[in-house]
Amino acid sequence: MGLPAGLLDAGYTRLVRPVLFRSHGGDPEAIHEQLISLLAGVGSAGPVRALTRLLAGSAGRSARVAGIDFPSRVGLAAGLDKDASAVLAWRGLGFGFAELGTVTGRAQPGNARPRVFRLRASRALVNRMGFNNPGAAAVAATLAARNVYRGNGAAGLPVGISIGKTKVVDLADAVEDYLTSLRLLSPHADYVAVNVSSPNTPGLRSLQDAGALSGLLTALVRESAARASLAAEGSSQGAGPRPEGWPSAGEGAEPASADATGPASGDVAGPVPVFVKVAPDLTWGQLDEVLATCEDAGAAGLIATNTTLAREGLAPADQHLAGEAGGLSGAPLTARAREVVGYVAAHTALPVMGVGGIMTADDAMALFDAGADLVQLYTGFIYGGPGLAAAVNARDTERQEP
C-alpha cells in the first residue's frame, strides 16, 4: 500500500526537493532531465521498481472510464515523460495512469533554452518547451522495447499518449501529421490525447476552432476505428494483416514483469479512445463549439485544461517572470481549471480528465466535485512529489461510498 502520504510529503519537500532544486545550478529543465533519466533506470530494474512501488505506491480508487480500467483516478499529465523512457516507473510512484508526450510526427528540438522558469513563491511554472521530443517512431520503438502494448499491463497502469503538431508542418497539413503519430503510437496506447491547446507551437490553438477541429478529430477517430477493424481481422485469421506498428498475433500479449497489473491481453477490442485537451483561455462560447465538435466527431472524452497565457495570481516575488513567453501552470491556474472542468462536465456527457493547479489533495477533490472523472498531476508533482499522488489516492478512497 505504500508509506503514508504525510511521510512521503515530508521526505520529498524537506529532503529531496531542496537538493533537486539546487542541482544543475537551479536549471529546472536540466533537473527534469536528470529526474527522468533516474526514473527510466528505476523502471528498467524489476527489483528496484517493486521496492519503489512498495514504498511510494498507493492503491487509490479504481474507475472505468471510456472502456479503460484505471487502478486509481490520479494520473501523470503529459509533459513530464516526453519520450516514454520512464513509462515503467510511474505506477510505483502512486499513479493510476500515465500520459506520455506530447509526441509529434517528426522529431524536433523544441524552442531555444532557457524555456522553463520556476516561480517558487507562486508554486508555479512557466514553460515554452515547444513539444521537444524524438518523434513518434522513436517513442513507439521505446515502448516496444519495454513491451508496452495496449492492454497488456506491462507498465502496471493504462498508458495515454499525447500527440501534437510538428512545428515545421503547415497547418494545412496538420491532419496527416497527427495521423502519422496515431498510426505509429496507437498499438502502445490505451488512449490518445489530441493536444491542440499548447500555447508554445505557433498556430496550434487555431486547431480548436470548430471547422479545423472537426476535420482533425473525424480523421483521427475514423483511422482509429479502421485500425481496430484491421487488427481484429488479423487476429481472427491468425497470421492475417496487422496495422503498421501492431505486434503480430501473440506478440506483446503477456506482462513484461511479475509486478505488472491490468489486462493480460495485448489485443483490446475496439478503437483506441481519442481524448481532446482544451485550453483554459477559451470563452464559454468557444468551449461550447469544442464540446459539440467532440461529440459529433466521436471523441471519447475531454482533458481540461492545458497551461494558460494569463498571468493573474502571481506572487510579488515572481512578477519579474510574468513577461516570459509560454504557458503558466500550478497554483495560479487552480481556480480557472476548476471553472472550466465544471463547465465542461455540465455541458457534455463525455468523461472529463481534470488537470491544472492541483497542488493539494483538496484541489483534486474539488475537481472531482466539479465533475472530473479522473485527474492528472504536473506542476503539483514537481513541487509535492509522490506524496501528493498518495494523498489524492487516500482522500479519494476515503470518500468512496461503501
Side-chain angles (χ1 to χ4, degrees):
M1 295 295 292
L3 297 173
L7 185 58
L8 284 170
D9 177 70
Y12 179 81
T13 58
R14 297 178 187 178
L15 299 175
V16 177
R17 189 177 71 187
V19 174
L20 275 178
F21 280 16
R22 287 195 301 267
S23 65
H24 297 281
D27 179 354
E29 185 170 359
I31 295 167
H32 179 195
E33 291 171 342
Q34 180 189 38
L35 176 63
I36 294 300
S37 178
L38 175 63
L39 291 176
V42 168
S44 65
V48 177
R49 184 167 69 247
L51 178 61
T52 303
R53 189 165 173 183
L54 177 65
L55 295 175
S58 49
R61 173 180 173 180
S62 63
R64 184 172 178 82
V65 177
I68 306 167
D69 291 318
F70 294 86
S72 87
R73 299 204 295 166
V74 56
L76 181 80
L80 277 166
D81 193 358
K82 291 176 175 293
D83 62 1
S85 60
V87 62
L88 301 181
W90 299 115
R91 180 59 176 150
L93 294 176
F95 291 103
F97 62 103
E99 191 171 304
L100 312 175
T102 294
V103 183
T104 52
R106 307 182 198 175
Q108 59 182 25
N111 296 322
R113 302 191 189 204
R115 52 194 181 183
V116 185
F117 305 89
R118 189 187 304 120
L119 290 67
R120 292 191 64 173
S122 305
R123 296 185 299 152
L125 296 172
V126 168
N127 94 80
R128 52 172 178 264
M129 300 292 284
F131 292 165
N132 57 304
N133 75 102
V139 172
T142 294
L143 291 167
R146 288 158 174 76
N147 195 39
V148 175
Y149 289 94
R150 182 187 180 199
N152 76 344
L157 40 61
V159 171
I161 304 180
S162 173
I163 58 175
K165 187 185 80 68
T166 305
K167 184 177 181 179
V168 299
V169 171
D170 292 337
L171 282 170
D173 300 320
V175 171
E176 188 57 38
D177 189 51
Y178 278 92
L179 284 170
T180 295
S181 295
L182 179 72
R183 290 168 184 143
L184 289 166
L185 296 168
S186 59
H188 308 280
D190 292 290
Y191 71 87
V192 168
V194 182
N195 189 337
V196 289
S197 51
S198 169
N200 301 320
T201 296
L204 184 76
R205 286 190 168 190
S206 68
L207 294 175
Q208 293 177 116
D209 296 343
L213 185 61
S214 177
L216 174 60
L217 290 183
T218 298
L220 290 172
V221 170
R222 285 178 178 172
E223 180 68 12
S224 180
R227 292 175 65 79
S229 177
L230 185 58
E233 178 184 349
S235 179
S236 66
Q237 295 178 0
R242 306 283 283 177
E244 178 187 359
W246 210 275
S248 59
E251 180 184 345
E254 294 299 327
S257 62
D259 64 340
T261 61
S265 172
D267 286 330
V268 178
V272 174
V274 175
F275 281 73
V276 180
K277 189 167 186 174
V278 298
D281 305 317
L282 297 175
T283 66
W284 300 139
Q286 290 171 323
L287 267 176
D288 287 338
E289 290 186 353
V290 168
L291 296 180
T293 301
C294 289
E295 291 172 351
D296 291 344
L302 281 296
I303 303 173
T305 64
N306 212 317
T307 58
T308 180
L309 290 171
R311 293 295 186 265
E312 286 83 6
L314 296 186
D318 295 325
Q319 287 295 332
H320 67 289
L321 294 171
E324 293 290 349
L328 175 70
S329 61
L333 186 54
T334 303
R336 179 57 180 171
R338 192 178 304 165
E339 289 177 346
V340 174
V341 167
Y343 188 90
V344 170
H347 290 81
T348 182
L350 295 175
V352 181
M353 298 188 190
V355 57
I358 301 176
M359 311 302 289
T360 67
D362 285 342
D363 295 332
M365 297 306 110
L367 284 188
F368 286 136
D369 291 342
D373 299 276
L374 306 163
V375 297
Q376 298 177 332
L377 307 182
Y378 180 84
T379 305
F381 177 70
I382 292 172
Y383 279 93
L388 178 58
V392 175
N393 280 327
R395 285 286 302 280
D396 198 28
T397 301
E398 290 171 1
R399 298 195 339 164
Q400 185 174 13
E401 295 182 359

